[in-house]
């Protein structure tokens, strides 16, 4: 079966992370293993936006620590073959990832900025792709547009609500049907892998 791209890092967005996308009504596309995936069409975009919800029986701080550990995204993000922390500046984190694409598509790469906003009961991580941040490689397609967020809400000492929403353009020549397949499979596998990483 053809692998979907690592839209866990290729796609990303929510009103708290940017302007409203004026999308259509959300449609529940998958409800399995305690993870719900919704998608919707967005005006002006050929790709669907996704939103994922889940509740994990782990402390909020432990989950956030995994998102802070950019060097190890490759160990649990679907199809991420390389991930590297570039630097930290106060509440901001910069990192670089390479996403393996199925043949005959070219691999994707991108630099990202994570911006952290913390309170006692929640952590929001706004994500922005930085297509012009670093040098481009001839054998890869630089992802031109990424924006999104993770939201972690503390429901108790050992329980956290997770919201993860994404909209992006992976660039290059990817059929819309293939890209939109990733808007369901990728967030589901991302949250499933994240839960496994926490155990």
């Amino acid at each position: 079966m053809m692998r979907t791209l690592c839209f866990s890092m290729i796609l990303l967005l929510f009103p708290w992370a940017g302007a409203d996308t004026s999308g259509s009504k959300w449609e529940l596309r998958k409800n399995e293993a305690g993870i719900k995936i919704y998608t919707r069409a967005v005006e002006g975009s050929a790709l669907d936006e996704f939103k994922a919800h889940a509740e994990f029986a782990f402390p909020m701080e432990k989950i956030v620590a995994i998102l802070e550990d950019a060097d190890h995204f490759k160990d649990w993000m679907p199809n991420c073959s390389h991930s590297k922390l570039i630097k930290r500046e106060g509440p901001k984190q910069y990192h670089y990832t390479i996403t393996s694409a199925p043949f005959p598509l070219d691999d994707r790469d991108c630099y990202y900025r994570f911006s952290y906003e913390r309170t006692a009961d929640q952590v929001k991580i706004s994500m922005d792709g930085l297509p012009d941040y670093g040098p481009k490689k001839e054998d890869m397609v630089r992802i031109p547009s990424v924006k999104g967020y993770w939201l972690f809400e503390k429901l108790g000492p050992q329980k956290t609500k997770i919201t993860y929403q994404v909209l992006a353009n992976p660039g290059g020549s990817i059929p819309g049907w293939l890209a939109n397949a990733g808007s369901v499979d990728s967030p589901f596998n991302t949250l499933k892998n994240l839960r496994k990483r926490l155990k």
Side-chain angles (χ1 to χ4, degrees), residues 12-195:
L12 309 156
L13 168 64
F14 190 68
W16 291 336
D20 183 80
T21 56
S22 300
S24 57
K25 186 177 179 180
W26 289 106
E27 177 185 354
L28 179 62
R29 299 287 302 281
K30 191 163 189 169
N31 184 1
E32 184 179 321
I35 300 169
K36 293 182 179 180
I37 307 297
Y38 300 83
T39 66
R40 68 176 179 177
V42 175
E43 184 179 353
S45 174
L47 304 181
D48 291 342
E49 182 179 15
F50 75 68
K51 176 170 62 175
H53 286 304
E55 292 184 5
F56 283 4
F58 295 97
M60 181 181 72
E61 294 80 5
K62 184 175 181 179
I63 303 173
V64 172
I66 292 180
L67 272 294
E68 292 175 319
D69 187 12
D71 287 335
H72 290 94
F73 287 165
K74 63 183 179 294
D75 297 334
W76 62 276
M77 286 279 189
N79 299 332
C80 277
S81 60
H82 176 82
S83 57
K84 180 179 176 62
L85 176 67
I86 304 300
K87 66 177 179 178
R88 299 185 193 276
E89 289 182 346
K92 300 184 187 299
Q93 164 185 318
Y94 296 79
H95 56 270
Y96 173 77
T97 67
I98 296 174
T99 299
S100 297
F103 179 83
L105 301 176
D106 292 324
D107 290 350
R108 264 63 180 165
D109 76 339
C110 194
Y111 290 86
Y112 294 89
R113 180 179 60 231
F114 277 17
S115 302
Y116 291 78
E117 296 181 36
R118 303 173 188 262
T119 68
D121 297 322
Q122 74 173 40
V123 176
K124 181 184 63 146
I125 307 173
S126 299
M127 300 181 251
D128 295 278
L130 306 173
D132 300 317
Y133 185 86
K136 297 180 180 180
K137 300 180 180 181
E138 291 185 2
D139 60 341
M140 295 186 188
V141 174
R142 175 61 52 84
I143 297 169
S145 175
V146 180
K147 194 170 179 64
Y149 91 101
W150 291 86
L151 178 65
F152 303 98
E153 299 175 85
K154 183 183 292 186
L155 301 181
Q158 296 290 327
K159 192 171 185 179
T160 304
K161 179 181 178 181
I162 300 173
T163 305
Y164 173 41
Q165 189 164 327
V166 170
L167 177 67
N169 176 5
S173 300
I174 298 180
W177 64 267
L178 177 59
N180 284 331
S183 69
V184 175
D185 295 338
S186 178
F188 178 80
N189 289 328
T190 296
L191 289 179
K192 186 171 69 171
N193 291 355
L194 175 60
R195 184 164 53 197

